[in-house]
Structures are given as structure tokens and as C-alpha cells.
Amino acid sequence: MADNADLLALLAEMKKSMEKGQEEMKDRMEKGQEEMKDRMEKGQEEMRKGQEEMKNQIQSHVESKVGEIKDHVNSCIEKIEEDVQSVKREIGEVKGEVERKIEEVEDKVQGKIEEVEDKVQGKIEEVKEKVQVKIGDLEKRLSELEDRPINFPANPDLTYSRPTVKPLTFDGQTSWTVFKTQFEVVSSANGWNNRVKASQLVASLRGSAAEVLQGIPSDKLTDLMTIENALEARFGDSHLTQFYRTELKTRRQKPGESLQVLAADVERLMSLAYAECPQDVRDSLAAQYFVDAIRDEDTQHATRLMDAKDLKLALAYSMKYEAAKTVSKTSQNVRSIEIEDGTGKEKDEKFDCLLKTLEKLLNSHVTGKRNTSRRNPNVTCWKCNKKGHVQRECQTISPNQEN
């Protein structure tokens, strides 16, 4: 019994020791956990401080680099603007030189034009003098012919006053319609009656035209209607009206043919093709056919826009336009010769090169930065946001730098 009691006492003591050991171990474990927790919290706090410090350092470095980049950009912009101003000055100089050259060329061209005009005027005066001499000779000869006595038969039907206009001649080689018109004008001016007109018409026939008289009875040689009908049948061009109209429509100015010659031929064809038309209709048609026949497209187009009502106006306008065009071409040729004397071409190339350089500079750097000025008191620092300096000159110390 005593042994059992000792054993129980020993077991109870061992149990107490074990419980005490467990409590001590539990306390140690709790204390170790708290210490570990404190160490972990302290490590996390130190890590957080390290991260913040690293972040501040990185941010400070980035801001420094960004400031340097912005300063470099400002410096580049200033240099670009200086280059632009220099290019503008060079362009102004080249432009002034070109304008002075153009003025010199224009003065020389004007001098050439005046010289040509003087020569042309001199030629015109010479031609006028020669024409006056010719007219004087013709008037003298006409006066001599009018002073000659003319003997006519005593037949009272043939009695008439001395002609005041020289009679015409017709050989069948020219237009019968034109000759007939001229003959009627001369007859009216001289006051001839039908019998005198018949006699004068017979006397005016030459060559193949005179051969027509062989088919007329001798008693009809004084009948004006019979003679005119015979000549109309032989030389009349009424059956050729359509031919002349076709020729008029297809008429074009020939190489080297002047506008005056073209207008004269158009007028001739009009009198043959539209002899029965009223004068105002003939004038309008003649102007249209003349414009269609002009060879130069620019002259034709300009004359067509002018909308001339008759051939005379169309001819005058087309000649003025052609003369102005010729003078313009001469001026251009002289100008090109003057400019190509050695420096003009280099000036043009330099001017083009400067323009291209300016365009590239403006397109690549200046667009969108027009408000960015050169270094001035209003410039703002990107570090402290104060005016008067740039970031690389900033003396302000940031909070991150103090740490």
C-alpha cells in the first residue's frame, strides 16, 4: 500500500512537473511568436522605408533627366529659330537681288522695244513716201488720159459727158460678179445710160471675154441685157455658189500667211458664196469664217471671245492680239537670255534650296511650338515652376535631396 501511495505521489508530482513544463513552453512559444512578429513588423517597416527611399531616388533621377531633356529641346528650338531667321534674311537678300535683276531686264527689253518701234516707224515713213510718189505718178497719168480728146459718132444716143472714172477691163480670168459690181459703180459715177453702158462693156472686154461677142448678133451688140446674159452664161459663178461655200468652210490660214491676206480671201469667198445675202448677214458670217480659219489657237480663242460683229473688227482685234503676243514672246526670250548670263541660274537654284530648307525646318520643328520664345525673363523652370531660369540653373533643393 505504501508503495502504491508513493507511486501515486510520484505520478502526481510528475504530472505537475509536466504541466509546469508545458506552461513554460507555451509561454516561451508565445514570447517567441511575439518576438518574431515584432521582428517581422520591424523588417516590413524597414523594407517599406527602403522602397520609399528608392522610389524617391528614382523619381528624383527621372525628374533630373526630364529637365535635362527639356533644356536640350529648348536649346534646339532656339537654334532652329535662329536658323529660320538666318534663312529668312538670306531669302530677303536673294529676293531683292532677283527683283533688281528683273527690273534691269525689263529696262533693257523696254529699250529694245522702243528701238524696234523706231525702226518700224522709220520703215513706215519710207513706205508712205514711196506710196505718195506712186500716187502722184498715177494721178499725173490719169490727168493726162483725161485731157486727151475723145471722138464719138454724131449719134445723139451715144452722146455723153466725158468719163469721170476710168473704165475697167475684163479678160475672163477674174470674177465676173466682182467685175459686174465694179462696172455698175463706174457706170453710175459717169452717168452712162444703157446704150453707153453696152458700148463701154464691149470696149472693156479682153482675151477670152471678148470672144463671147462672136456669138452675139451684130444688131444686139448695143443691147446691154444681151451682152450681160452672154457673159453671165460663160463666166458667171452662180452655179459655183455651193463650191465657194464649201471652200469658205474649209478655209484655214496657211503657214506664213498673214491675217490681212486671210481676211481678204475670206471676204472674196463671201462675195462669191453669199452674193444675194443682206450686208449685215454677210458681215457676221465673214467674221465667223475668219475666226475659224485662224491658225494660232490662242489668237483664235481670244478673237472668238471678242465676238466681233464684222470682219473688219475681227481682223483688227486678232492683229492686236498677235502683235501683243509677239512682243510678249520677245520679252520672255530677252529675259531668259539676260538671266542665263552666269549668275541668274545659280541664284534661282540657291533660292529654291533656301525655300526647301525653310519648309523642312518649319514642318519638322516649329509647327506646334510657335508660342515657345527664345530665352527671356518669362521662361519657367520645370523643377520649381518659377520664372527667370531653366531647370539646369535651378538652385532649389527638393525634399528628396535633403533626405
Side-chain angles (χ1 to χ4, degrees):
M1 291 296 291
D3 292 334
N4 289 333
D6 293 334
L7 181 60
L8 289 174
L10 182 61
L11 290 172
E13 187 178 354
M14 290 178 63
K15 182 178 180 183
K16 288 180 180 180
S17 297
M18 290 179 64
E19 289 178 353
K20 185 178 180 180
Q22 287 178 354
E23 288 178 0
E24 290 178 355
M25 185 177 293
K26 183 177 180 181
D27 292 337
R28 289 179 180 177
M29 289 181 65
E30 289 178 355
K31 187 177 181 180
Q33 289 178 353
E34 289 178 358
E35 290 178 355
M36 185 177 293
K37 184 177 181 181
D38 292 338
R39 290 179 180 177
M40 289 180 66
E41 288 178 353
K42 187 177 181 180
Q44 290 176 355
E45 182 67 22
E46 291 177 353
M47 186 180 295
R48 185 165 57 253
K49 289 183 179 180
Q51 290 177 349
E52 290 179 357
E53 183 178 358
M54 185 179 294
K55 182 179 179 180
N56 292 333
Q57 290 178 356
I58 292 173
Q59 185 176 0
S60 176
H61 182 71
V62 169
E63 289 178 353
S64 176
K65 290 297 182 182
V66 170
E68 292 178 0
I69 292 172
K70 289 182 178 180
D71 292 340
H72 182 68
V73 170
N74 279 335
S75 177
C76 291
I77 291 174
E78 292 174 2
K79 185 176 180 181
I80 289 170
E81 290 180 347
E82 292 176 356
D83 293 340
V84 169
Q85 294 298 328
S86 177
V87 170
K88 287 183 178 180
R89 287 194 297 271
E90 292 184 5
I91 290 175
E93 294 175 358
V94 174
K95 184 177 180 181
E97 183 67 22
V98 171
E99 289 177 352
R100 287 193 295 272
K101 198 68 176 179
I102 290 174
E103 291 177 358
E104 293 177 0
V105 173
E106 289 178 349
D107 293 339
K108 291 182 181 180
V109 171
Q110 186 63 31
K112 292 290 184 181
I113 292 175
E114 292 177 356
E115 183 179 349
V116 172
E117 288 178 350
D118 293 339
K119 290 182 179 179
V120 171
Q121 189 63 31
K123 292 293 183 181
I124 292 174
E125 294 297 331
E126 292 179 3
V127 172
K128 284 183 178 179
E129 292 177 359
K130 293 180 180 179
V131 170
Q132 291 296 332
V133 173
K134 291 291 183 181
I135 292 174
D137 294 341
L138 292 175
E139 289 179 349
K140 183 177 179 181
R141 293 179 60 186
L142 180 61
S143 177
E144 292 175 354
L145 291 174
E146 290 178 349
D147 292 338
R148 291 181 182 179
I150 303 177
N151 297 322
F152 292 98
N155 193 332
D157 294 332
L158 299 178
T159 303
Y160 60 95
S161 61
R162 188 175 65 181
T164 58
V165 180
K166 183 179 179 180
L168 307 174
T169 58
F170 178 67
D171 58 0
Q173 303 299 319
T174 58
S175 172
W176 159 249
T177 302
V178 175
F179 173 79
K180 184 179 179 181
T181 302
Q182 293 175 327
F183 185 78
E184 290 294 338
V185 173
V186 173
S187 300
S188 176
N190 291 330
W192 295 338
N193 57 30
N194 287 341
R195 292 182 64 86
V196 175
K197 288 170 64 176
S199 300
Q200 290 292 332
L201 181 57
V202 170
S204 66
L205 299 180
R206 302 288 187 275
S208 59
E211 296 176 358
V212 176
L213 300 176
Q214 297 178 0
I216 301 176
S218 58
D219 57 339
K220 296 291 185 178
L221 291 177
T222 56
D223 183 57
L224 179 62
M225 185 65 68
T226 301
I227 299 172
E228 286 183 348
N229 289 339
L231 292 171
E232 182 72 32
R234 174 71 179 275
F235 301 104
D237 47 18
S238 59
H239 61 286
L240 298 176
T241 299
Q242 190 60 42
F243 170 77
Y244 289 129
R245 290 181 180 180
T246 302
E247 186 177 357
L248 190 60
K249 291 179 181 178
T250 58
R251 181 69 166 88
R252 295 295 180 270
Q253 186 180 10
K254 302 173 183 177
E257 184 179 26
S258 65
L259 292 172
Q260 298 95 315
V261 174
L262 175 63
D265 194 50
V266 170
E267 187 174 11
R268 177 185 68 83
L269 293 173
M270 281 297 303
S271 64
L272 297 173
Y274 297 95
E276 304 300 329
C277 289
Q279 186 62 38
D280 56 343
V281 177
R282 289 175 60 182
D283 291 341
S284 179
L285 288 175
Q288 295 179 17
Y289 285 126
F290 171 74
V291 173
D292 293 339
I294 295 177
R295 183 182 184 87
D296 184 74
E297 294 182 358
D298 293 339
T299 306
Q300 184 189 78
H301 182 66
T303 309
R304 194 186 306 280
L305 291 177
M306 189 264 182
D307 193 21
K309 301 301 181 182
D310 55 45
L311 180 59
K312 184 178 180 181
L313 292 176
L315 174 61
Y317 184 83
S318 61
M319 290 178 65
K320 288 181 180 179
Y321 183 86
E322 194 176 63
K325 187 176 180 181
T326 302
V327 173
S328 178
K329 287 182 178 179
T330 304
S331 177
Q332 291 177 0
N333 291 335
V334 173
R335 181 176 299 177
S336 63
I337 292 173
E338 293 292 336
I339 292 177
E340 291 175 0
D341 61 352
T343 60
K345 188 173 182 181
E346 294 178 359
K347 291 290 185 181
D348 290 343
E349 292 177 354
K350 184 177 181 181
F351 186 76
D352 292 340
C353 182
L354 290 174
L355 285 179
K356 291 179 180 179
T357 304
L358 176 61
E359 184 178 2
K360 290 180 180 179
L361 289 173
L362 292 176
N363 289 337
S364 61
H365 299 291
V366 178
T367 303
K369 296 182 176 61
R370 294 177 181 174
N371 296 326
T372 303
S373 62
R374 300 176 65 183
R375 182 65 56 78
N376 56 66
N378 295 325
V379 67
T380 302
C381 176
W382 291 343
K383 184 176 181 181
C384 64
N385 293 327
K386 294 182 180 180
K387 295 182 178 181
H389 65 276
V390 294
Q391 183 177 0
R392 66 172 178 266
E393 301 172 355
C394 183
Q395 303 296 328
T396 303
I397 301 176
S398 64
N400 296 328
Q401 292 175 339
E402 292 179 354
N403 293 333

